[in-house]
Amino acid sequence: QMEMQESGPGLAKPSETLSLTCTVSGGSINTRSYYWGWIRQPPGKGLEWIGNYYFGGSTDYNPSLMGRVTISADTSKNQLSLSLNYVTDTDTATYYCVRAKGCYVEYLGVVTLSACHMDVWGKGTPVIVSS
Amino acid sequence: EIVLTQSPGTLSLSPGERATLSCTTSQRLVSTYLAWYQQKAGQAPRLLIYDASTRATGIPDRFRGSGSGSDFTLTITRLEPEDFAVYYCHQYGRSPRTFGQGTKVEIK
């Protein structure tokens, strides 16, 4: 059974770079069948998609993060990483790593492989941004 | 960006009752690229339904998803005590992926 475990500093200062790691066990992240991503949830609020990583290094990010985010993977360690630059208090949230099933999505007549429903979630790691 | 609007915000029901949760998308989804998640307090979300109507592995059949286009519904046919939680819909047909704001199902 696959498990995902987030880790990283629970506290970051404004304008710093937040770095989180997700260690995956029970299966390899080096697969064409799944995407790997990050979701966050501010205290008492809803879920926000941050971005996805796919086999070979392709990525897709939420434009709302304005180029501050990078998702990468170390396949030798079976780990996924998140880097978020220039954090502010609005980045305070619980951060979840997720596995998303790869599936074919059709739009305007074009079919592409895409990240679909998220079937495995880590327990989440809380991050507070404060000086 | 496709905006998902869930209603009602809170649903107050008793165990054994039927719950009907709605999710409306700001743009029509070409196909049924919609999922539902359940989140209990202090826990990560859990996948319930994907492709609008397919139950995820291990999900009881009292959870039923339906809908297409812009209107989707999650029905819990008979609420069990463990079903009181927050439910989110999520579209994955277009990037950026987006979520609804959630519906809280609470004990009346």
Side-chain angles (χ1 to χ4, degrees), chain A residues 41 60 106 114-115 118 122, chain B residues 30 33 37 39 44 94-95 97:
Chain A
Q41 184 173 37
D60 185 19
E106 185 263 333
S114 187
M118 294 168 282
Chain B
V30 173
Y33 304 130
Y37 301 86
Q39 186 177 32
R94 298 271 300 281
S95 195
R97 276 84 174 109

Side-chain angles (χ1 to χ4, degrees), chain B residues 5 13 23-24 28 41 44 67 69 71 79 94 99 106:
Chain B
T5 302
L13 295 168
C23 176
T24 301
R28 185 178 178 275
D71 294 298
L79 282 165
R94 298 271 300 281
F99 292 88
E106 65 177 21

